[in-house]
Amino acid sequence: MLQQRTLKSLTHAVGVGLHSGQRVEITLRPAPPDTGIVFRRVDLPQVVEIAVSATAVSDTTMASTIASGNVKVHTVEHLMSACAGLSVDNLYVDITAEEVPILDGSAASFVFLLQSAGIVMQSAPRRFVRLTQTVEVREGSGATEKWARLSPYHGYQLSFEIDFDHPAVDATGQRVVFDMSSGSYAKDIARARTFGFTKDVEMMRAKGLALGGGLDNAIVMDDYKILNAEGLRYDDEFVKHKILDAMGDLYLLGKPLLAHYSARRSGHALNNLLLRELLRRTDAWEVVTFEDAERAPRGFAQLAPAW
């Protein structure tokens, strides 16, 4: 049987929120089978739990935010991406503020935290959402058109194309295909950092965003070049970060996908719209398990290797 997974022990980190600038402590704890990933605001007079789901997403402005009533947790996508990349199904995320810490701006620190705690199998089958028909959403037209699509695929593959009119971005690869069967999420995707432009910083900060951003947790560009002294981690780091974000956004479905995700110029909002359209299209998917783990797609049966 292909089994669900959780952590062997708890692990802990301290950082600041990218947008809020607030100091925040985060503790990742094991959770029983069929719990899913549950964020817990432990800083409130009474702990409030927010289980991830496509419909729990309340805002997609510059990040993915989940909410229960008036209680929110912002910027969950990098941690969710790490969970997707390492196939972690059940997890309690205790958090002492309203935003997940940005750490180094990628998913690499969360991969390290999860792997340092240890990932263990549980005595329950892992349930997948398998696409049986293509589901697609589009916005805009012509040069400004954005789209995202889920298609049937025996495994999990992501294709993404970006289109930024900027010299530093134009000099890099702008299309990436990543397949979970490679087993190389931690090496090839997780280290890609979020990025932004100095011309947008004043506007964002006026809206209360990017208050904790800087060269230590993002790729920052002026009108011509990258300002980070160390340069890029990958030749195609910009589009790889979009793959990283998409994996986190899509894992908010609450179950892993068996599908090919493809997108052009998509972001948090369109990714969530795609999940909501998927849920609406009940004829386009089914929930499956694998009693024989050998029949599962490559990349899902083994625990992700340390890196």
Side-chain angles (χ1 to χ4, degrees):
M1 178 177 70
L2 188 57
Q3 297 162 280
Q4 293 178 32
R5 300 166 189 189
T6 191
L7 298 187
K8 185 177 182 180
S9 61
L10 63 79
T11 185
H12 179 81
V14 179
V16 298
L18 172 65
H19 294 300
S20 66
Q22 289 181 303
R23 181 186 184 276
V24 55
E25 299 179 29
I26 187 169
T27 302
L28 310 179
R29 299 194 290 113
D34 297 319
T35 299
I37 297 175
V38 179
F39 286 78
R40 305 174 74 248
R41 286 285 305 276
V42 298
D43 57 313
L44 302 175
Q46 290 188 318
V47 173
V48 175
E49 297 189 345
I50 309 173
V52 303
S53 71
T55 55
V57 175
S58 63
D59 189 14
T60 51
T61 305
M62 306 301 294
S64 287
T65 296
I66 57 174
S68 175
N70 294 324
V71 178
K72 300 178 180 180
V73 178
H74 303 280
T75 320
V76 300
E77 62 271 12
H78 297 173
L79 173 55
M80 291 300 299
S81 184
C83 291
L86 299 184
S87 297
V88 175
D89 299 284
N90 303 304
L91 186 68
Y92 288 120
V93 182
D94 290 358
I95 187 167
T96 63
E98 64 178 11
E99 187 176 13
V100 175
I102 191 61
L103 301 179
D104 77 338
S106 75
S109 297
F110 295 116
V111 167
F112 175 79
L113 286 170
L114 293 167
Q115 290 187 328
S116 66
I119 299 170
V120 295
M121 303 286 193
Q122 297 178 285
S123 57
R126 193 165 201 231
R127 296 178 178 87
F128 295 82
V129 171
R130 178 164 64 189
L131 269 286
T132 57
Q133 298 180 38
T134 296
V135 175
E136 181 180 277
V137 291
R138 290 180 177 266
E139 285 185 357
S141 60
T144 63
E145 185 179 45
K146 306 175 182 181
W147 57 266
R149 178 188 305 133
L150 289 169
S151 306
Y153 181 74
H154 186 61
Y156 190 35
Q157 187 178 78
L158 301 99
S159 308
F160 205 106
E161 183 178 359
I162 58 174
D163 180 22
F164 286 95
D165 184 17
H166 189 281
V169 181
D170 291 345
T172 72
Q174 298 194 50
R175 187 176 188 276
V176 162
V177 178
F178 172 72
D179 201 297
M180 277 288 286
S181 66
S182 68
S184 62
Y185 169 83
K187 178 170 67 74
D188 290 341
I189 301 296
R191 297 177 64 246
R193 293 162 294 174
T194 192
F195 56 93
F197 306 91
T198 53
K199 64 182 181 181
D200 297 331
V201 169
E202 280 190 27
M203 176 271 292
M204 292 172 66
R205 290 186 171 166
K207 295 180 178 179
L209 299 171
L211 301 179
L215 292 170
D216 58 341
N217 56 32
I219 305 168
V220 182
M221 290 168 282
D222 63 15
D223 289 340
Y224 306 101
K225 64 184 182 299
I226 295 166
L227 302 181
N228 304 66
E230 73 277 16
L232 297 178
R233 294 176 175 178
Y234 306 109
D235 290 341
D236 47 6
E237 187 169 0
F238 299 106
V239 67
K240 281 188 171 178
H241 186 78
K242 299 296 283 188
I243 290 270
L244 184 159
D245 274 351
M247 290 183 69
D249 289 343
L250 296 176
Y251 208 42
L252 289 166
L253 181 63
K255 293 183 177 65
L257 284 162
L258 295 179
H260 177 209
Y261 165 86
S262 52
R264 184 174 190 273
R265 302 178 70 241
S266 186
H268 304 300
L270 204 59
N271 290 337
N272 186 250
L273 191 65
L274 180 63
L275 288 187
R276 289 172 184 259
E277 177 65 11
L278 175 67
L279 293 176
R280 189 187 71 80
R281 287 276 310 279
T282 55
D283 62 325
W285 54 275
E286 59 187 359
V287 176
V288 299
T289 60
F290 293 95
E291 290 302 316
D292 180 359
E294 295 298 316
R295 298 178 67 87
R298 285 187 58 207
F300 287 102
Q302 293 76 36
L303 287 172
W307 59 305

